Amino acid sequence: MSEVQSVKYAVEDGVGVITIDNPPVNALGPGVREGIMQALANGNADPAVRSFVLIGTGRNFMAGADIRQFGGARPVSTRTSAAAIAASAKPVVAALHGYALGGGLEHALACHYRVAARNVRVGLPEVSLGIVPAGGGTQRLTRLIGPKAALEVIVSGRHVEASEALRLGILDEIVEDADLRAAAVQYALRAAEVRPLPSAQGDVLKPLPADELAALFEAARKSLSRKSRHLKAPLHALALVEAATSMSFDDGVALEQKLFEELENTDEAKALRYAFFAEREAAKIPGTSGLAQPEPVRSAAIVGGGTMGGGIAMAFADSGIEVKVLDMSQEALERGLKRIRDNYAVSVKRGSITQAQMDERLAKIRGVTDYAGIGDCDAVIEAVFERVELKQEVFAKLDEVMKPGALLLTNSSAIDIDVMAKATRRPEDVAGAHFFAPANVMKLCEVVRGSATRIQTIARTMKMARDLGKVGAVAGSCDGFAANRSRTPMMTEMMLMLEEGALPEQIDRIMVAFGYPMGPFAVNDMSGLDVSYEGRKRRAAADPEYRKLHIPDRMVEMGRRGQKTGAGWYRYAEGDRTPHPDDVVKQVIAEVANEFGIAQRTFSDDEILQRALFASVNEACRILEEGKAYRASDIDVMWLYGFGFPRHRGGLMYWADSVGTPAILAQVRQWHERYGKRWKPSALLERIAASGGRLRDAVPPQ
Ligand code: T1G
């Protein structure tokens, strides 16, 4: 947008009102910084102007720098336009609402005062993009609220809501008046009388004694080297907060610029920017552009109050949406509701929610034992055991009781949506809403299209997921849909490498070194080895060619189902979740290898990583070829939010591009010769390797 359009300036009762108007989020796109500086120059040269207000239109104050501009030239930096505000001879009042993030908050911090509507969310989220604030924000915020609070806010990159921002000292006032602009103008008129102006460098440093400062930064460094061992940005952010307590403002701002430039084009920053946009791309559903906005889901029902059903019910309650849990017996219902109460109680004990929030959320959850009790809900999510006949029975019942237009959703992780849809007279309203355990924590909601599902049903289910604070991504219906189907080959190869002599602890070490928070075997011990056992049995019964996984089958049959039985891939001491390698697992591997005549060998770390991930890359290409995902980046979103794939590597397909499709194809071809059919190269992989294209841009054949 041209300068005139994205920044408006008008004088009102002696106040120069500078309005940012750059939809959809008031990012600092082309012309915005220049427009702010021009307005300041005009107002400071105008004797009729006594002070300024800086405000945004639409839903937000300002969402920060335009992320799409990174890596390219930027005519004016945030540092420069923020400095112009700070240098204004007349006071500038920031009037914040919605989001004030990154460079947006940095402009507000350069103002002399900050007032805000109660819906404001402020933050410096730059570290989540692999960079650091570069508009003076680390230097001003640290001086304004003190190093301890600033360190936590800047290194975490989190959003801070109004009352906390006021308490910390980021805001001067919360405006209850519905007309933020009018209130800010009045505030600016009063500010015009105050002399001297408060420093816009926030020179009032909330000092900490030197030894406390040293301890603060030392502890933060230790924690970051553990928690963010793969990321550079958080440590650089820490260094900038430290600089604000020891360097001059100008030197601190110069250091900000230097560290920002060091990070802006790192692989980590590029991957994190890709992940940011991939998540938003996943929300775009082909064929919905001309449709009306989907109605929100204002009430929901969950059929089956087990672990998954209870977690999904909590996700609704956490989002303030009324939810009913239906179970067939009072006893089963009570068990499920108790599990929910216990989960909330643990969160209260940990301090992640207050008792009042727990009570508020529990009040949103009601238990029923009769289908008639849920008919009025906008959506119902079936979360009963993964048995086809049971699901068909449930959907036939739902078809009888649910009001017209209700979403009839299944949380199934693999059963074909059409199986449920065919049990109803309204297959167009049936879709998958596949949550990932624990459903109230994991962000991914895989929305699955049946062959008869209306696109409006998909759009409304995606909106429901977003309203639950989830990240939605759409899959077509097939065995395992897109998320689990693309991940299964990785797990299969890992299990088969065990048969050849690899060990769970070796594979876990390699995957953690790659960036996963936990190794897949440790995760499997947590979720339970029996969970996938039934699915493998179902596949073996249906497909005589199905390659059985002898070792995990044997572990389950031995009763080693993971943490819940004190032993799985690892051994656990009573009441302790620390995984300990167990010789029993080595014995099982040796027995299976002996029984099936499998030669034992050693593996390099590279082979383990490549055999695991290349198998999934190949399967993801097949999923795209079959049109079971809209785009490759949707599969990346599923891996990031469903499986904890390291975000600084962008996603499975983004990472594969960093390896190079020709190298991947050559290796897949080798394993195809050695191991047979499951390694057959996908046509899409062959096509992209030959064309030199990028996997992350791949879409189904049109
Ligand atoms: N730049 C470019 N596009 C952006 C954008 C940004 N900062 N923020 C959002 N968009 C696009 C987004 O891709 C989507 O596009 C549309 O706007 C709606 O976004 C100098 C260097 C503000 C909380 O990290 O966190 O400032 O898909 O769906 O759910 O020191 O957007 O419609 O085509 O997310 O209401 C720091 C990033 C930048 C904030 C709103 N700022 N944005 O959430 O909408 S670095 C950020 C968000 C910086 C300074 C440094 C969220 C939001 P499309 P949306 P939302």
Side-chain angles (χ1 to χ4, degrees), residues 24-25 27-28 33 59-60 62-70 78-79 99 101-104 106 124-126 128-129 131-137 159 256 260 276-277 280-281 284 466:
V25 293
L28 287 156
R33 299 179 184 85
R59 291 178 295 149
N60 303 303
M62 275 190 264
D66 186 329
I67 305 171
R68 293 183 200 282
Q69 281 191 315
F70 285 155
T78 299
R79 188 176 78 258
Y99 291 105
L101 300 174
E106 290 180 294
L124 293 175
E126 285 84 344
S128 65
L129 295 167
I131 52 176
V132 289
H159 298 169
E256 249 189 17
F260 172 83
F276 174 87
F277 289 114
R280 285 149 181 86
E281 202 58 23
K284 293 175 186 160
R466 185 184 170 104

Side-chain angles (χ1 to χ4, degrees), residues 8-85:
K8 296 185 176 67
Y9 175 65
V11 180
E12 203 174 301
D13 302 335
V15 174
V17 181
I18 306 169
T19 305
I20 313 302
D21 183 9
N22 189 26
V25 293
N26 286 342
L28 287 156
V32 174
R33 299 179 184 85
E34 297 85 336
I36 292 171
M37 294 172 73
Q38 188 58 57
L40 283 169
N42 295 349
N44 273 305
D46 179 349
V49 170
R50 302 164 59 208
S51 54
F52 294 94
V53 164
L54 178 63
I55 192 167
T57 56
R59 291 178 295 149
N60 303 303
F61 173 69
M62 275 190 264
D66 186 329
I67 305 171
R68 293 183 200 282
Q69 281 191 315
F70 285 155
R74 265 186 306 284
V76 169
S77 70
T78 299
R79 188 176 78 258
T80 306
S81 48
I85 293 173

